[in-house]
Amino acid sequence: MQIDRDVLDARIARGCRCFVARSDDEVVAFGWLATRTEWIGELELEITPRDSEAYIWNCATHPAYRRQGFFRAVVNGIAIQARREGLTRLWIGTIDIPPAKAVADAGFAPALRFTTVWHAGIRWLRVRRAETPDPDLQLAAREVLAIRGRPLRIGTSMKRAVLRRH
Ligand SMILES: CC(C)(COP(=O)(O)OP(=O)(O)OC[C@H]1O[C@@H](n2cnc3c(N)ncnc32)[C@H](O)[C@@H]1OP(=O)(O)O)[C@@H](O)C(=O)NCCC(=O)NCCS
């Protein structure tokens, strides 16, 4: 739940917004929304949402408040606000954990699946197509994750690992 002040200031400065859920007066869960290029630390890739798109990231619930629907509320709340603002698509990445079902319930469809391994200073990445009947969605996902202007390649790649505070 802790985010360093300088990291938080930098997020706000580049236009990210933080949505929070409260229990009484206390912030117990949050999620961030970006409309510009953002770093995905779990993949070591950048995502650049297109016009009228955005990316939900860094969602967390305080351990004492988990399994009470706060993550679900944050994701749904961001989606409602995004729709109000005229955004037509949201991107989100989930890890393979039970709470990810809240994301599917909110209407998100899987586009790509990733496997990452860090070893000896190298980041290995495997990208697969998700089982979706919508090839346009897969291509759109590969385009927002493009590297040097080229849609993210399906398959395996490696690069030197980097740690970014973001
Ligand atoms: C992932 C995380 C944000 C979930 O927060 P949360 O507020 O506990 O999630 P919710 O209570 O909204 O749970 C959503 C659904 O997942 C279920 N769920 C949550 N944790 C679960 C668990 N450990 N095992 C089984 N189901 C679980 C909930 O029961 C709920 O389903 P339901 O409404 O059908 O009952 C929280 O565990 C966390 O902060 N983890 C560390 C950060 C992290 O991994 N973030 C990545 C998010 S993809």
Side-chain angles (χ1 to χ4, degrees):
M1 294 290 290
Q2 297 293 328
I3 300 175
D4 290 342
R5 183 65 205 224
D6 61 327
V7 171
L8 193 140
D9 288 345
R11 290 182 184 186
I12 302 287
R14 62 179 187 264
C16 293
R17 283 185 286 167
C18 185
F19 291 75
V20 303
R22 289 193 169 88
S23 174
D24 296 326
D25 280 344
E26 203 163 345
V27 171
V28 298
F30 60 75
W32 287 80
L33 188 68
T35 51
R36 304 199 192 121
T37 299
E38 206 48 65
W39 178 246
I40 307 174
E42 293 85 349
L43 302 177
E44 295 198 7
L45 289 175
E46 283 184 339
I47 180 167
T48 305
R50 293 181 290 202
D51 290 347
S52 64
E53 294 184 354
Y55 167 55
I56 300 177
W57 62 292
N58 191 203
C59 296
T61 300
H62 187 287
Y65 291 87
R66 289 185 185 166
R67 301 202 70 170
Q68 297 175 43
F70 285 108
F71 172 57
R72 187 184 285 284
V74 167
V75 171
N76 287 338
I78 294 176
I80 289 166
Q81 180 61 20
R83 211 171 284 131
R84 265 193 213 126
E85 293 176 11
L87 299 181
T88 55
R89 179 181 272 155
L90 291 176
W91 299 101
I92 191 169
T94 64
I95 48 180
D96 192 11
I97 51 175
K101 72 176 174 181
V103 168
D105 294 347
F108 287 84
L112 298 172
R113 297 203 180 274
F114 302 91
T115 309
T116 40
V117 176
W118 280 263
H119 181 68
I122 301 292
R123 186 281 270 137
W124 295 83
L125 175 70
R126 181 174 174 224
V127 184
R128 287 173 295 142
R129 294 185 170 86
E131 52 298 337
T132 164
D134 184 354
D136 291 346
L137 176 63
Q138 283 168 352
L139 182 59
R142 293 174 54 212
E143 285 175 349
V144 293
L145 296 169
I147 298 175
R148 287 185 285 279
R150 292 192 162 178
L152 183 67
R153 218 165 43 82
I154 301 292
T156 305
S157 62
M158 56 182 265
K159 71 170 192 61
R160 191 185 299 276
V162 289
L163 188 64
R164 279 200 208 172
R165 289 175 78 240
H166 66 117

